[in-house]
Amino acid sequence: MSSPSTAPPAPNNLKRIVAASLIGTTIEWYDFFLYGSAAALVFNELFFPDSDPLVGTLLSFLTYAVGFAARPIGALVFGHYGDRLGRKKLLVLSLLMMGGATFAIGLLPTHATIGSMAPVLLTVLRLVQGFALGGEWGGAVLLVSEHGDARRRGFWASWPQTGAPAGQLLATGVLALLTAVLSESAFGAWGWRIPFLLSGVLVIVGLWIRLSVDESPVFKRALERAEARKADTPAERMPLVAVLKHHWRDVLVAMGARMAENISYYVITAFILVYATTSAGVSKQTALNAVLLASAVHFAVIPAWGALSDRLGRRPVYLIGAVGVGLWMFPFFALIDTGGFGALLLAVTVGLVMHGAMYAPQAAFFSEMFATRMRYSGASIGAQFASVAAGAPAPLIATALLSDYGTSTPIALYVIAASLLTVVAILAAKETRHRDLADVSPGTENGADAPVKTGAAEDARAL
């Protein structure tokens, strides 16, 4: 029997919350992935024209990685204020920042116009994108997790996760359409700007939907309890300090869990545009089409994996993905090397299905690790600090390995090593599926599954 704090909300209200989180995350990931695809396709020529083609691609991916470097800072800032002011306000701000930076990239002069200032400005805007995305993820998944039915939390919380493949699908689809209807010279001259400018329209739609939803009820109750107890408790700690004191093991688990998930995703979706076109002789259009179709499958399987995590637990499903993506790496590159579209599509699709088994339960899994008044900080820090070592350098490392060795073998071994690290992290974690988000206290760290009765007092001290 559900406690009042976790009683299922009205279905229509929950669906509206899910829709708001999904559409917002789709727009943010569209902006973020659009940059990654453009970095692989045209930015090396537009912003680093004096370099060797492969070196230009490396420099282009370096600006891509800069966005990841800003994500931990965004996680700290947005997590801090999200735990103090609420999830909704910070989600609106992150959407505005991301959309504004993406729109500005569409207006940016290239190296041919303003010289070396072009890549500098590009890097600054990429930093803004990364900062915004660092705060987006935690708030979006928490808004759904803290509204949702505890018995189906894995399923409902996985929907904001589908924003990643949906954003990838949208970004890749727009680029594929433009490369299909425009000549290569027209696309390089002005066509690449269209998807970036389109972000302005998408942000307006996203803001309209996000402003219509309510704040998380779990957070509002925790805030009320903390305010009522202020006179009787010591000064509240900053969320970061509280997270590192009470949940340091959970942060390490989250970081380890992200390694295979993050690295494999960017190798499969971003680096493939380089590898397939330079080593396998596949056209840009063919590579984009394969990622486009595979992203549609990825979108569909994430809620299914999330629902399975409600039945089997977060850890078993996560382990399926971590082991699966490691085992798939050698077949993945072997299929791409054939140069056939069907083989390329199969390689990317299976890789993303395995990735989905990690990504789907991640939202509920990370949310269930932390106490309410430090949950935004904890989930965001664990997820985004890992991205600096995982997703940020993944395309850069993969491209460098390809340049140095001329073969996919070291790249496959790189992903397999990340998979082994994630398996160790998940085995070190404890199952969280039955935890009540209103009752998880800082004292549990990575421990017991049973509800904790002191949640109110701990929430008051959490900051």
Side-chain angles (χ1 to χ4, degrees), residues 217-241:
V218 172
F219 173 79
K220 287 194 289 187
R221 279 191 287 272
L223 184 61
E224 289 168 2
R225 290 196 298 264
E227 290 293 332
R229 294 170 179 268
K230 268 186 176 178
D232 304 318
T233 58
E236 294 183 332
R237 297 187 184 95
M238 291 178 61
L240 173 60
V241 175

Side-chain angles (χ1 to χ4, degrees), residues 12-77:
N12 289 337
N13 183 55
L14 179 56
K15 289 176 181 177
R16 188 169 68 249
I17 297 295
V18 170
S21 290
L22 171 58
I23 291 173
T25 53
T26 297
I27 294 169
E28 297 241 11
W29 282 114
Y30 165 81
D31 292 347
F32 202 75
F33 288 142
L34 181 61
Y35 188 103
S37 297
L41 296 173
V42 295
F43 279 0
N44 58 332
E45 300 172 0
L46 296 173
F47 294 94
F48 307 98
D50 297 329
S51 304
D52 171 83
L54 198 54
V55 174
T57 300
L58 281 168
L59 293 173
S60 183
F61 274 140
L62 186 59
T63 64
Y64 173 75
V66 162
F68 287 85
R71 282 165 68 169
I73 303 173
L76 290 172
V77 174

Side-chain angles (χ1 to χ4, degrees), residues 33 161 164-166 168-169 172 260-270 272 287-303 305 320-322 324-326 328-329 332 344-361:
F33 288 142
Q161 300 291 76
Q168 178 77 65
L169 190 64
T172 306
E261 178 267 306
N262 220 215
I263 288 172
S264 66
Y265 188 77
Y266 290 104
V267 168
I268 293 169
T269 61
I272 189 179
L288 283 169
N289 288 342
V291 174
L292 182 68
L293 293 174
S295 293
V297 176
H298 193 210
F299 178 91
V301 300
I302 285 177
W305 284 121
I320 290 171
V325 81
W328 185 243
M329 275 302 103
F332 172 79
L344 176 62
L345 178 60
L346 178 62
V348 181
T349 301
V350 174
L352 288 181
V353 168
M354 290 297 100
H355 172 269
M358 294 181 282
Y359 200 54

Side-chain angles (χ1 to χ4, degrees), residues 337-381:
D337 287 338
T338 65
F341 176 73
L344 176 62
L345 178 60
L346 178 62
V348 181
T349 301
V350 174
L352 288 181
V353 168
M354 290 297 100
H355 172 269
M358 294 181 282
Y359 200 54
Q362 190 179 96
F365 190 31
F366 289 8
S367 298
E368 291 158 350
M369 290 181 181
F370 302 95
T372 303
R373 293 298 304 283
M374 62 181 75
R375 186 171 292 134
Y376 201 143
S377 295
S380 296
I381 291 168

Side-chain angles (χ1 to χ4, degrees), residues 159-452:
W159 279 100
Q161 300 291 76
T162 65
Q168 178 77 65
L169 190 64
L170 187 58
T172 306
V174 171
L175 285 171
L177 176 63
L178 289 171
T179 55
V181 301
L182 296 176
S183 66
E184 190 168 342
S185 59
F187 181 76
W190 55 269
W192 67 272
R193 297 182 183 276
I194 294 175
F196 287 92
L197 298 176
L198 180 62
S199 178
V201 178
L202 297 177
V203 167
I204 293 173
V205 175
L207 284 175
W208 175 69
I209 295 172
R210 275 202 170 163
L211 289 170
S212 68
V213 302
D214 296 326
E215 180 57 81
S216 154
V218 172
F219 173 79
K220 287 194 289 187
R221 279 191 287 272
L223 184 61
E224 289 168 2
R225 290 196 298 264
E227 290 293 332
R229 294 170 179 268
K230 268 186 176 178
D232 304 318
T233 58
E236 294 183 332
R237 297 187 184 95
M238 291 178 61
L240 173 60
V241 175
V243 165
L244 295 180
K245 177 178 180 181
H246 297 294
H247 287 288
W248 60 270
R249 288 182 60 197
D250 297 306
V251 170
L252 292 178
V253 166
M255 291 177 67
R258 285 275 281 170
M259 298 306 289
E261 178 267 306
N262 220 215
I263 288 172
S264 66
Y265 188 77
Y266 290 104
V267 168
I268 293 169
T269 61
F271 172 71
I272 189 179
L273 299 178
V274 175
Y275 185 81
T277 55
T278 60
S279 294
V282 175
S283 69
K284 291 180 180 179
Q285 184 66 46
T286 300
L288 283 169
N289 288 342
V291 174
L292 182 68
L293 293 174
S295 293
V297 176
H298 193 210
F299 178 91
V301 300
I302 285 177
W305 284 121
L308 188 62
S309 78
D310 286 326
R311 298 178 65 86
L312 301 182
R314 317 302 181 211
R315 293 171 71 245
V317 175
Y318 214 112
L319 285 171
I320 290 171
V323 173
V325 81
L327 293 175
W328 185 243
M329 275 302 103
F330 280 110
F332 172 79
F333 285 109
L335 286 167
I336 296 173
D337 287 338
T338 65
F341 176 73
L344 176 62
L345 178 60
L346 178 62
V348 181
T349 301
V350 174
L352 288 181
V353 168
M354 290 297 100
H355 172 269
M358 294 181 282
Y359 200 54
Q362 190 179 96
F365 190 31
F366 289 8
S367 298
E368 291 158 350
M369 290 181 181
F370 302 95
T372 303
R373 293 298 304 283
M374 62 181 75
R375 186 171 292 134
Y376 201 143
S377 295
S380 296
I381 291 168
Q384 302 307 334
F385 270 67
S387 69
V388 177
L396 190 66
I397 290 173
T399 304
L401 290 172
L402 179 62
S403 178
D404 289 344
Y405 295 96
T407 174
S408 62
T409 299
I411 305 168
L413 293 174
Y414 167 52
V415 179
I416 290 169
S419 296
L420 291 174
L421 184 57
T422 291
V423 167
V424 171
I426 298 303
L427 291 177
K430 293 191 177 182
E431 185 55 60
T432 62
R433 176 166 54 114
H434 298 298
R435 288 183 177 174
D436 186 335
L437 290 187
D439 289 331
V440 176
S441 81
T444 62
E445 289 186 344
N446 212 24
D449 288 338
V452 181

Side-chain angles (χ1 to χ4, degrees), residues 31-193:
D31 292 347
F32 202 75
F33 288 142
L34 181 61
Y35 188 103
S37 297
L41 296 173
V42 295
F43 279 0
N44 58 332
E45 300 172 0
L46 296 173
F47 294 94
F48 307 98
D50 297 329
S51 304
D52 171 83
L54 198 54
V55 174
T57 300
L58 281 168
L59 293 173
S60 183
F61 274 140
L62 186 59
T63 64
Y64 173 75
V66 162
F68 287 85
R71 282 165 68 169
I73 303 173
L76 290 172
V77 174
F78 279 81
H80 174 85
Y81 289 102
D83 282 328
R84 286 183 178 271
L85 305 177
R87 290 49 167 135
K88 177 181 172 179
K89 295 182 180 68
L90 275 297
L91 284 174
V92 169
L93 179 60
S94 70
L95 188 60
L96 283 171
M97 291 183 69
M98 176 67 87
T102 305
F103 187 82
I105 290 174
L107 301 174
L108 197 63
T110 64
H111 188 280
T113 305
I114 61 172
S116 59
M117 277 302 296
V120 171
L121 292 174
L122 181 68
T123 302
V124 170
L125 292 173
R126 182 60 175 172
L127 283 168
V128 175
Q129 279 190 325
F131 180 82
L133 191 62
E136 160 72 20
W137 181 84
V141 299
L142 292 188
L143 198 63
V144 175
S145 295
E146 293 178 344
H147 271 93
D149 178 358
R151 293 168 298 180
R152 303 186 68 199
R153 185 180 298 129
F155 171 73
W156 289 115
S158 71
W159 279 100
Q161 300 291 76
T162 65
Q168 178 77 65
L169 190 64
L170 187 58
T172 306
V174 171
L175 285 171
L177 176 63
L178 289 171
T179 55
V181 301
L182 296 176
S183 66
E184 190 168 342
S185 59
F187 181 76
W190 55 269
W192 67 272
R193 297 182 183 276

